[in-house]
Amino acid sequence: MAGSAAGRVLRDRTAGRYLAGVVVSGFGTSAMWLTAGIWVKSLTGSDSLAALTVFAMWAPVLIAPALGAVADRLPGKPLLVRVNAAMAVLLMTLPLVGSAGRIWLVFVVLVLYGVSGVLVDAAEAALVARSVDPALLGDLNGLRMSANEGMKLLAPLAGAGLYARFGGGTVAVLDAATFVLAALIFARLPVREEAREPLRSGTGKESRWRELSEGARQLRQSPVLRPLVRAGAATMLLAGLNGAAAYAYVDDVLGRSPAYAGLLYAAQGAGSVAVGLLAGPLLRRLGERVFAGAGIALFAVAVGARALPYDAVAPVSAVAIGFGLPCVLIAAMTAVQRETPDAALGRTAATANSLMMAPNALALALGAGLVAVLDTRVLLALTGALGLFAAVLPVRGRRGAPRPVRTGGGG
């Protein structure tokens, strides 16, 4: 069932080429994500500055609605091509960084990297919704998740190996090459876009605020999107707490060396790859709300199970976390693409991503403090219990059968 769905997506020229671009750019991004922290640490000796590399890439999520408005103003295909090409040029400046005195250049590029990521995600969400058969959106979003998680398993190893042998500049050149290739792939997307309608008319601060907040208004007023995004934000908050406790879990609960955490991350990634392959059929069978709620419940039970000090629990819970956690994200994005008017798709997708992903970054910081004052088993058990409450959010108030994914259309 999953195989036939994936085949239909890959046979669709637009969807297939879009996925190819995601795989290529995702490989470079995953390699650079790890390498940036190692590079900064080796040049400065500072753990704090190394940790800030992750924050630099995440920070632009806070202005996602404004960046989504830019995506709504511009045709999606040229925007994807230009942003990927611009990032390739920017990354080619990083080989100039050879000492701590030029480390500021790494942070400038990483912040712009984050800006480009928000723009690309918003443009992709809108372009895919306009040009791919709506019946394939769940499958496509699932396969996109599988592709991204698959790259996270492979690319960091390649990036670390290149860095160890040739230095950070070589990894930056590799990343730049993947952006060039992605730009060429996106340039060949077989889509024809009509002239975009203007956003809200008028002048002044009030009009600009209405324009920027349109995505939030779409989410707030939609009985379909509101519970999914709310559940996604709650789940990612809990995922951040679980992530912050990862090394404490390996050390305090399992009594293993820190390296064992890498194996658990790999198992979690395998679970995410698997759910991405199955997401489309499951969405059609269950509907977005039940699919999201079931995934959150699985995630919650798996996190809670980590309070048990048994070696056999560790890999099973890691796979279950990887399988359950992405469900609400896939469901929410599919619903955004299906429910949102075309003129506001970029802003709505960017706002939804911001609302769901920002709590994860905040919880990582909060969790670091909680690990220092709470027993790890207590923290994991509480996180799992709260996750069961979060699982109720997307299905609360649901009436009747799940709404099927709309069919027809596409290009």
Side-chain angles (χ1 to χ4, degrees):
M1 182 169 60
S4 61
R8 289 197 300 273
V9 171
L10 296 176
R11 284 193 296 270
D12 183 288
R13 293 175 64 207
T14 301
R17 289 182 183 176
Y18 164 72
L19 273 178
V22 167
V23 169
V24 169
S25 62
F27 183 89
T29 296
S30 296
M32 193 65 201
W33 187 286
L34 173 67
T35 300
I38 299 173
W39 196 359
V40 169
K41 167 68 176 176
S42 66
L43 288 177
T44 66
S46 171
D47 291 324
S48 298
L49 286 176
L52 278 177
T53 59
V54 178
F55 176 77
M57 296 181 78
W58 271 94
V61 169
L62 300 175
I63 58 169
L67 296 173
V70 173
D72 276 332
R73 287 186 179 276
L74 301 172
K77 178 179 171 179
L79 180 60
L80 290 177
V81 173
R82 291 166 186 167
V83 168
N84 278 275
M87 280 308 305
V89 174
L90 282 170
L91 283 162
M92 290 304 296
T93 66
L94 290 186
L96 300 175
V97 179
S99 65
R102 290 183 176 177
I103 208 67
W104 61 269
L105 184 58
V106 174
F107 285 96
V108 170
V109 172
L110 290 179
V111 170
L112 293 175
Y113 209 124
V115 170
S116 74
V118 175
L119 276 173
V120 165
D121 283 347
E124 286 175 349
L127 185 64
V128 165
R130 297 180 192 119
S131 55
V132 174
D133 186 337
L136 295 178
L137 288 177
D139 299 286
L140 179 57
N141 288 325
L143 289 174
R144 184 181 190 273
M145 177 68 68
S146 291
N148 281 332
E149 293 301 320
M151 291 304 100
K152 288 178 184 177
L153 294 176
L154 300 175
L157 296 176
L162 280 175
Y163 178 84
R165 180 69 177 85
F166 301 107
T170 303
V171 182
V173 171
L174 168 67
D175 198 7
T178 65
F179 273 111
V180 170
L181 185 53
L184 293 174
I185 292 172
F186 288 135
R188 292 181 57 81
L189 285 174
V191 296
R192 290 192 297 271
E193 297 181 272
E194 299 177 358
R196 307 303 304 277
E197 295 181 6
L199 299 178
R200 291 185 181 272
S201 59
T203 58
K205 293 183 179 179
E206 183 178 349
S207 177
R208 288 195 295 272
W209 172 251
R210 287 200 306 270
E211 182 176 299
L212 293 177
S213 63
E214 179 63 20
R217 189 182 72 83
Q218 293 289 335
L219 297 175
R220 186 173 58 252
Q221 294 184 352
S222 170
V224 175
L225 302 180
R226 186 175 60 252
L228 285 170
V229 172
R230 186 179 299 161
T235 304
M236 294 309 295
L237 179 73
L238 298 174
L241 295 179
N242 175 64
Y247 287 102
Y249 167 64
V250 169
D251 183 19
D252 299 341
V253 180
L254 299 179
R256 297 258 188 171
S257 69
Y260 189 66
L263 297 177
L264 296 183
Y265 277 123
Q268 182 173 326
S272 296
V273 170
V275 77
L277 296 174
L278 296 171
L282 289 174
L283 277 169
R284 281 189 289 275
R285 179 179 293 273
L286 301 175
E288 285 109 343
R289 287 190 175 195
V290 174
F291 177 67
I296 297 170
L298 177 61
F299 161 77
V301 170
V303 171
R306 289 187 157 185
L308 302 174
Y310 303 124
D311 285 345
V313 171
V316 175
S317 66
V319 172
I321 289 170
F323 194 98
L325 181 59
C327 292
V328 66
L329 305 178
I330 296 171
M333 189 49 60
T334 302
V336 164
Q337 292 169 326
R338 178 170 56 77
E339 295 284 333
T340 308
D342 181 80
L345 247 174
R347 283 164 290 171
T348 306
T351 302
N353 274 327
S354 178
L355 290 173
M356 290 190 292
M357 301 309 294
N360 183 261
L362 295 174
L364 285 169
L366 174 63
L370 290 175
V371 165
V373 298
L374 272 182
D375 183 276
T376 304
R377 297 178 198 177
V378 173
L379 177 59
L380 291 170
L382 286 174
T383 302
L386 292 173
L388 292 176
F389 284 104
V392 178
L393 293 177
V395 296
R396 188 173 57 187
R398 178 176 169 270
R399 295 179 176 85
R403 178 176 176 175
V405 177
R406 186 180 61 215
T407 58

